Every structure is written in C-alpha cells, then in structure tokens.
Amino acid sequence: MREQQNNFRVEKFHSFRGLVAPVDRANIDTDAIIPKQFLKSIKRSGFGQNLFDEWRYLDHGEPGMDASERILNPDFILNQARYRGAQILLTRSNFGCGSSREHAPWALQDYGFRVVIAPSFADIFFSNCFKIGLLPIVLGTSSIDRIFDEVDSAEGYSLTVNLEGQTVTTPGGEVCIFDIDSFRKNCLLNGLDEIGITLQHTDKIIAFEQKRRMEQPWLFK
Amino acid sequence: MMQTLYDKLWQGHTVYEESDKPDGMALIYVDRHLVHEVTSPQAFEGLRLSGRKPWRLDAILAVADHNVPTTERSHGIADPVSRLQVDTLDQNCEDLGITEFKMTDSRQGIVHVVGPEQGATLPGMTVVCGDSHTSTHGAFACLAFGIGTSEVEHALATQCLLLKKARAMQILVEGSLGTGVTAKDIALAIIGKIGTAGGNGYAIEFSGNAIRELSMEARMTLCNMAIEGGARAGMIAVDDTTIDYIQGRPFAPRGDLWERATAYWRTLKSDEGASFDRVVTLDASQIKPQVTWGTSPEMVTTIDGRVPDPTEVDDAVKRHDMENALKYMGLTANMPINEIYLDKIFIGSCTNSRIEDLRAAAEVVKGRHIAANIKLAMVVPGSGLVKRQAEEEGLDRAFKDAGFEWREPGCSMCLAMNDDRLSAGERCASTSNRNFEGRQGPGGRTHLVSPAMAAAAAVAGHFVDVREIY
Ligand code: SF4
C-alpha cells in the first residue's frame, strides 16, 4: 500500500478542458492550502480531503478523521455543487506563499486540480508544482479579472488548457497565451524524471566535485 | 564584469548550464543539505524505491525539530503520528549513515539555529533544506534557500538542483538603529514596504552600514524573514563579524585550512559598482518597533500606530483582504496598537530564539512579572546549546521568576505541530515569522514582534513601546 502511494511518477500532461473553481483571495498561503497537522503524514497522497481544511469544514480537522462525517462550510466556494469536479483553480496574486511544503501542491493535485491560474505565485510553490505535474499558469491581472467575472456568471464555466501551444482558451473563444520555461514544459509534456535527467550529467558533477575538493577542502570531511 | 555576491555564489556552484538558452536552467551544486522530519520521509522513500543512494553523506546534517515536545522528553513523543515522523527520520538516518542530532542530544534544536551554531553553515556554501526559512543561512554569504520534497530527493540523489537564476535585489539600510529597535523590526519594516510578494523572483542582498553593525544572530533574523518578503534567498556579505562568529565552531575548519578558508571568504561580497535589478533603501534611524495587525507579515505597522482602515483603501482586492484579516483578528479599524490586549506570549522560532534574543527579552522581564491577563508566556530556546548557555547566564531564572515557562528546544508554537498552540480566538505576541490564519493553532491570532517587544507586552498585558521601558 505504502509502496504504491509513494512510488511517484510524474504523468504526462495532456491538453484538456476543465471546470474552473474561483477562490477570490490574494496571498493564499501554504498553511491555508494544507494546515500543518496533516504534514505529519509520511506519505505523499491522501491530502486532497484536507485541502483548504480550515475554510472548507466547520469542525477542526485532524489526521485520520473520516471526511464524509465532517461538517462542510456551506459558504466556502469549493463546497458549492456547481464547482464539484473542478480541475482548474482560479485565484489571486502571490498564491502559495509561505512554507516550502510540497504537501500544498500534493493536496491540490489529490483534490483533482491539474492547473492553477493566478496573476503571480510564490517562488518555491511555483517550482514545486512542476515537480509533480501540476501546472501553474500566470496570466495578466486584466485577463484574470475577466475570467473571474465570467466564471461567476456562467455555471459550468470551463477553460481549455493547451500546454503545447501555451494557451488558455475561454468558452467565448478568447485565447490567453502564457509563458513557460522550455525545460519545464518538456518535462511536463513527456512526464520526465528530473533526477534521471540530472544523473545523465554524472561525469560533470563528479568533475565539479573533485575541483571543489581541491579548492575548498574544508567543505569536505 | 562587476559581480554581485549572488552572481559569485551562482557562478561558483554551476556544474552545467543550458548555454544555448539565455534563460535556461542550471545545475547547481549543493554543499550543505539540512534535513528535518516533516519534508524528508517521502524523499527518502522515493530514493529507496528508485534504488538510489545519497550522493554525499558528509554534506547532510539532520535534526528533528517541528514535532518534538518542548516539555519533559524522557518519555518520548506522546502523539503517535508525530512520533512516527520523528522515528522515520531516525530510521532513515541510521539506515543510510546520515549524521543526526536526535531529540535527546544536547545539540538538537531548530535546524536553522543548529546549522550555524555548529559551524555547519560556512560562507560561500549553497545550503538547502526542505524548509522555506533556509534563507536564514544567507547571513553567512551563503546561497541558502528552501526546497520542496521532490527537490530534497533530487539533492540527496545527485548533490545538485536544477534551478533558474533569480534576479538580484539590493536592500540598502543606512543609518543606525535606535535603542530597542532590532533586526526583526528592520525585517518587518522591509516587508511592510515591499509586500510579501515584493521579493518574488529575486535573491535579496542586505547591505548598508545598519546591516554591517548587526551581530551574526541579528543578521540571521533578517535573512530568515527574506522569504516572508517573497524572496527565496536573502544574503549578507562576509566581514569580520562573520568570521569571528565561525571561528572555533565544531564543523569549522582549523589551522592552515582556516587561513585558506578565511582568505576566500573575504572575497564574498558584491563588487563595487555591481548592478542590481532592483534597489530598495531604508533609513534605519526612522525604523520604530513593529507590530503586525493582520494575517500576513506585510500587514504591519509601528507600535505608535493604529490598525488601518480598509475603507481608506481603493484597491478592491486589497480592501477585501484587509476586511477578512480584521475579522479574523478580531480587531477594529483605527484602534491604537498599544490598546491590543494579549492572551499568550511566545518567544522562540528560527527567527528569534538565539541567545541574544533571549538576553534582550530577559532584560525587559527581569524583576518584573507578566500581567494578570496573560494566560501563558513561554520561552522556547532555539537549541539545547542555547538553552544551556541561557541557564549559565541565569536568564531562565529571570524568565521563570517573571512567570514565563522555560521549555525544551524546537519549533513549538511557531507552527503548532506539537502540543504548543493557541486556542480559537486567543491572541498572541509572537517572535516567530508568520501570522497566517491558524498558524499557531486553529482560530489563533498572531502578532509578530521582536523578542523585547514580546517581553514588554507580557509584562504590560498589551502592546507597549519597549523604548519607554529601557
Ligand atoms: S521555527 Fe517555525 S519557521 Fe522556523 S523552521 Fe520551525 S516551524 Fe519553520
């Protein structure tokens, strides 16, 4: 069981059309995304039921609780029936600030999100997302404002995300282009293992290390 | 070409670069990998499942800090989930031969206090840890930054990380700090100025004579908070203060190697005239003691200030955030900061749990007593060695006599993963680094301040200007 859950491989990212859920708040921190009591787990799966735990439930959550028996907060947007099954999270600036916990992207992915769209992200969170195949997309504030308005007024609002072409397309046909580093794009499209890629450079690492050992021997035991 | 300190550190650790692309990824060598129990189990498991081994054991130092109890430890950890996580770290370190300071070791403590204290953090290193406050180690002119668990596994397996170079920001703090104003106040003032996203995409170098006048411990406080300003890394150039601090520490070089090392370390500063992508300046003499009023470190004002009024803010998103924050914090607009009454006081965390922090707080509480409305005031030293030294200096007595609890080292109520936490609605003056919703316990309300300000608040029962107490 544990083996299966932890034997993690990044899946290839395919283009898709997905339901959008809006969380209209700036500076959403990693403590809000996944509160610390759930970080005690030594697994990397199962965090989805505790995504946004303190906003999503009215009772206090602890690891091991049965989510189906907890009291949902009817005011929290993800609890509305119209956003059930959402795959794209739409949010505001500096999403994912705070701690380096990868549990935050794990929780988002485990919940069912494949893409997070925001005007900006915190650096560590942004980089963590790519490692697990969750795509963070930065769009301009005006596009984001418009999509927020559209989501609000149209139930079932979906966006099409095309990683290859680096586009997000609205139901009305508006196409927003996003930037992505070519290395990261390639890793996502092909589901590549970064450690494997790095180990292809083993000879360079060894050479670097030997030189370092000569020049700064105090760094080595 | 004039180089910034960041350029030098980056270039000095580049194993390989995608030279065909101007903005490509680089493979950066890792000198020191610090490990704690929360972000490592899945990385060790991943390593095992792919049949890989740690690349370089002598680069790794492990310590359990987040889950450990701060009360009597001889019976171990009561919470079985916390215990499993700490046991898992112990087991992984034992299996692989990694140096670990176990919970009962006198050198155990918060990973960012322990590294520098042991001399395991040395100038010019790249220091990584599955923890965002790794920026702390930048105080030693290190390129130090937090990483996620996948990167922990990557660093274990390859001794390298695939990274994109950040832009360089210089934060220049000139002038001298007033009495009772500390590095914590500089950090909060900077975050108040640039915002919590101000440093996104940047590596920050702190410089100016106010920075040079800071002790190493104060510099660590400042670099620790770089991440709260959005920057993954913060750093400060090497000078005599840096070198004096390191000399004689267990992991520091000695003899001939010491001479060679210090000669190199002294080159670790930005070249005269090196250019930064952004420069922010502050006048240290204008910085007053800071108090956060909201649920983000940028929601900060001065001790003589008032809780801001959202109706005066034009930006709708910002106004909305402020209203949410005030509601969560149970505060009303325009309320004077020094009329905010507290329930609990927490002196600790990787930001402010070193000996100088404890001395500053002890000086304020000495001969005084915590106010009747304070339900709990606690001091959690950053490491076993800090604790021991404080006891040798009699600081523990000053705290205990004043009504504080004197605890065992660890992260404690900075994030409340152990039993130390706020109850819903409780208000705390805390020397930690994050005032996020629920950070110190669900529904708990956190105000970030310096150790002296927390101590003064403990005595008064509400926030007061510590400068009036000295
Ligand atoms: S003291 Fe707080 S911020 Fe520092 S490492 Fe521990 S939990 Fe993180």
Side-chain angles (χ1 to χ4, degrees), chain B residues 126-194:
Chain B
T126 36
V127 180
V128 303
C129 175
D131 193 285
S132 61
H133 291 99
T134 309
S135 60
T136 311
H137 308 264
F140 294 84
C142 292
L143 177 55
F145 52 91
I147 55 179
T149 297
S150 294
E151 288 179 307
V152 170
E153 185 180 338
H154 195 285
L156 285 171
T158 70
Q159 209 54 44
C160 291
L161 288 171
L162 276 163
L163 296 169
K164 254 181 106 136
K165 196 174 176 190
R167 285 171 292 170
M169 183 189 295
Q170 182 186 40
I171 297 189
L172 200 57
V173 192
E174 299 287 7
S176 287
L177 284 179
T179 317
V181 186
T182 68
K184 180 64 162 286
D185 302 300
I186 303 182
L188 288 170
I190 289 170
I191 296 163
K193 184 167 173 144
I194 68 172

Side-chain angles (χ1 to χ4, degrees), chain B residues 71-93:
Chain B
T71 46
E72 176 54 42
R73 286 179 178 172
S74 51
H75 305 298
I77 303 174
D79 174 2
V81 199
S82 288
R83 189 170 61 232
L84 176 63
Q85 201 164 53
V86 174
D87 287 349
T88 304
L89 178 68
D90 291 352
Q91 193 61 53
N92 281 323
C93 291

Side-chain angles (χ1 to χ4, degrees), chain A residues 2-3 6-7 9 24-27 29-32 36-37 39-44 47 54-55 60 62-63 92 94 97-103 106 120-124 127-128 131-132 181-184 193-199 201-202 204-206 208-209 212-221, chain B residues 12-16 21 23 25 27 29 31 38 41-42 45 49 52 55-56 58 67 79 81-82 84-85 88 124-125 130-132 146-151 153-154 157-158 160 162 164 196-197 200-201 227 230 232 253 257 260-261 264-265 298 320-321 324 415-417 421 434 436-442:
Chain A
R2 206 171 105 190
E3 309 259 311
N6 274 337
N7 196 0
R9 285 288 154 258
D24 194 354
R25 220 172 144 141
N27 297 311
D29 58 76
T30 50
D31 283 76
K36 68 272 180 148
Q37 60 270 35
L39 271 51
K40 294 180 185 184
S41 168
I42 57 169
K43 300 181 190 152
R44 71 189 304 163
F47 295 102
E54 287 183 17
W55 294 341
H60 171 66
E62 282 294 334
R92 298 286 183 185
N94 201 27
C97 59
S99 98
S100 67
R101 63 186 72 158
E102 201 162 302
H103 311 68
W106 290 340
S120 62
F121 292 90
D123 290 350
I124 305 180
S127 132
N128 282 344
K131 314 286 175 191
I132 66 162
D181 172 86
S182 58
F183 176 82
R184 284 168 165 161
D193 162 27
E194 273 194 23
I195 296 180
I197 297 175
T198 298
L199 287 175
H201 299 292
T202 295
K204 293 194 192 78
I205 304 173
I206 291 173
F208 181 92
E209 198 165 67
R212 199 157 184 74
R213 204 180 277 272
M214 300 285 290
E215 289 171 359
Q216 297 185 45
W218 58 86
L219 296 176
F220 298 80
K221 248 222 209 100
Chain B
H13 290 88
T14 303
V15 172
Y16 161 83
K21 299 184 205 95
D23 239 6
M25 307 285 281
L27 195 60
Y29 187 80
D31 292 313
V38 180
Q42 298 87 348
E45 183 76 353
L49 290 169
R52 291 169 179 145
W55 181 280
R56 211 189 111 201
D58 69 328
N67 277 280
D79 174 2
V81 199
S82 288
L84 176 63
Q85 201 164 53
T88 304
M125 277 182 162
D131 193 285
S132 61
I147 55 179
T149 297
S150 294
E151 288 179 307
E153 185 180 338
H154 195 285
T158 70
C160 291
L162 276 163
K164 254 181 106 136
T196 49
N200 281 1
I227 183 66
R232 209 169 170 178
L257 275 186
R260 270 177 75 185
Y264 166 64
W265 293 345
E298 71 182 23
H320 185 62
D321 282 349
N324 275 339
L415 95 163
M417 252 180 109
R421 62 187 70 168
R434 288 189 177 137
F436 299 157
E437 283 186 18
R439 172 79 179 180
Q440 294 193 293

Side-chain angles (χ1 to χ4, degrees), chain A residues 99 101, chain B residues 36 38 65-67 110-113 129-134 136 224 227-228 346 348-353 410-417 432-434 439:
Chain A
S99 98
R101 63 186 72 158
Chain B
H36 68 70
V38 180
D65 53 6
H66 285 62
N67 277 280
I110 306 169
V111 66
H112 309 307
V113 174
C129 175
D131 193 285
S132 61
H133 291 99
T134 309
T136 311
N224 173 278
I227 183 66
E228 276 11 284
F346 173 64
S349 90
C350 57
T351 313
N352 283 128
S353 63
C411 294
S412 178
M413 209 159 70
C414 172
L415 95 163
M417 252 180 109
S432 54
N433 42 56
R434 288 189 177 137
R439 172 79 179 180

